[in-house]
Amino acid sequence: MSDKRQRARVQGSWAKPLQKPQQPSAQHVPSAAGSWKSAPRSFEFHQPADPIREIPVEKVIENAGDYEISQGPTGVSRLRLIPGFLPQEEADWMFSKLLAELPWSQKTNYRMMGDSIVNPVYEEPRLTCWYGELPYTYSRSAMQPNAQWHPVLTTLRLAVEQKSGHKFNSLLCNLYQDGKDSIGWHSDNEPSLGPKPIIASLSLGDTRVFSLRKQPLPEDKGDYTYVERIRIPLTHGTLLVMEGCTQVDWQHQVAKEYHDRGPRINLTFRTIYPEPERPSGRFVR
Ligand SMILES: O=C(O)CCC(=O)C(=O)O
């Protein structure tokens, strides 16, 4: 073990005082002048009983490709990153149309403590709108669907379906107005999305960092200190497809950034199942 590490993990005890010479050792004794002085003591190092755990180095994914990010009892988690999925000029034009023409609004959620709703409610730090046939419920509050898709969204849905090889019936649009807008750690694992949701996420506008962190082992009881982490800078026109167990075994977020960030739109294409048709499976929450 390196010295530095050993110092950081000091475990031990103050050694018992030597019998000779006779003097009070583990106590403070008043000096003649009335101030307090410590008696000399020594320290014994004991090797820590628990094995040392390394905090994994965060990985960065920025090149086009298919990435198997984990393989576990639940199955394989996969990402597909396609920077430049939309050519620059097309992406610029679509970004301004969607920014100006989508019915953006700020959703209010309920804070949960276990299964109970706790007041006060809070407003999401971003604007959203929802497209599809069915409402979308998360954080105990439902988004009503816009049944009439904006023509740009219809074009994008077809292009994303063609590229990814998956069909989608719904779309959550997020607008981050600046660096202070964000989305916290979560998985897209609502029962209405089925057991292993496939999510295709298209980014337009300023680059933001999309982070993933693995769900901790059951014995870590919700402690994320030692979990694997990945960061992906999502640039203008990039398509990211999350497949397999990514929504079961990982969480993701777009954190606040405290330097200048312009607006960014993120379109996440999903499939929502009406209750009677829902495929069964394991849900994390
Ligand atoms: O903005 C993003 O890239 C992520 C959005 C997201 O996590 C979500 O809509 O569930």
Side-chain angles (χ1 to χ4, degrees):
M1 195 188 326
S2 72
D3 259 15
K4 199 167 156 201
R5 200 161 199 108
Q6 188 147 323
R7 262 182 274 118
R9 303 202 61 203
V10 161
Q11 294 195 352
S13 58
W14 292 104
K16 299 229 165 51
L18 296 172
Q19 290 308 308
K20 281 183 196 167
Q22 284 278 329
Q23 60 176 21
S25 58
Q27 305 151 349
H28 287 90
V29 287
S31 71
S35 62
W36 290 87
K37 274 190 184 167
S38 288
R41 293 186 297 179
S42 60
F43 188 81
E44 287 173 355
F45 178 79
H46 303 302
Q47 214 36 262
D50 295 336
I52 293 163
R53 293 177 75 180
E54 299 286 341
I55 295 179
V57 176
E58 188 180 48
K59 295 185 179 123
V60 181
I61 296 181
E62 47 195 353
N63 296 324
D66 292 333
Y67 298 86
E68 202 173 287
I69 54 170
S70 66
Q71 196 158 20
T74 40
V76 177
S77 299
R78 255 179 273 103
L79 300 178
R80 193 160 173 214
L81 185 67
I82 311 165
F85 168 69
L86 292 178
Q88 168 93 32
E89 259 181 46
E90 218 173 300
D92 290 350
W93 180 79
M94 288 181 167
F95 175 69
S96 7
K97 287 285 278 184
L98 298 177
L99 187 62
E101 294 174 16
L102 292 193
W104 300 109
S105 71
Q106 193 166 20
K107 182 174 180 270
T108 300
N109 288 338
Y110 294 95
R111 244 180 253 288
M112 303 297 297
M113 187 99 86
D115 275 345
S116 347
I117 293 174
V118 187
N119 279 329
V121 294
Y122 68 97
E123 291 192 323
E124 289 183 336
R126 63 191 175 281
L127 304 182
T128 51
C129 52
W130 171 246
Y131 287 83
E133 298 288 314
L134 297 166
Y136 183 39
T137 303
Y138 65 90
S139 301
R140 295 294 159 105
S141 122
M143 300 183 82
Q144 293 313 313
N146 293 284
Q148 187 69 46
W149 288 59
H150 186 288
V152 170
L153 297 179
T154 306
T155 307
L156 286 174
R157 173 169 142 187
L158 284 173
V160 167
E161 287 182 340
Q162 214 161 39
K163 186 74 182 175
S164 67
H166 301 293
K167 287 268 178 207
F168 301 100
N169 65 13
S170 309
L171 169 62
L172 177 61
C173 309
N174 290 298
L175 170 58
Y176 304 82
Q177 296 162 97
D178 57 31
K180 287 181 207 70
D181 277 357
S182 60
I183 188 165
W185 288 115
H186 68 285
S187 307
D188 296 322
N189 59 0
E190 287 71 33
S192 59
L193 296 170
K196 288 182 183 175
I198 296 167
I199 312 274
S201 152
L202 179 61
S203 294
L204 294 165
D206 209 347
T207 302
R208 292 293 292 266
V209 174
F210 183 80
S211 307
L212 293 117
R213 68 177 181 184
K214 189 115 191 282
Q215 294 283 9
L217 298 169
E219 55 268 35
D220 284 336
K221 299 186 179 69
D223 178 1
Y224 286 84
T225 309
Y226 297 102
V227 299
E228 288 167 59
R229 288 167 190 270
I230 300 173
R231 57 189 277 132
I232 309 175
L234 291 179
T235 52
H236 190 42
T238 291
L239 180 64
L240 172 71
V241 187
M242 296 182 264
E243 292 175 335
C245 293
T246 308
Q247 305 305 325
V248 179
D249 290 341
W250 294 78
Q251 288 189 328
H252 54 268
Q253 73 161 359
V254 175
K256 294 188 191 308
E257 292 187 24
Y258 294 94
H259 45 267
D260 263 1
R261 281 289 174 223
R264 166 182 182 256
I265 291 174
N266 175 255
L267 308 174
T268 54
F269 295 89
R270 302 141 188 253
T271 294
I272 292 277
Y273 296 95
E275 207 143 352
E277 289 172 29
R278 255 171 225 173
S280 61
R282 188 177 82 81
F283 297 106
V284 171
R285 64 174 188 196

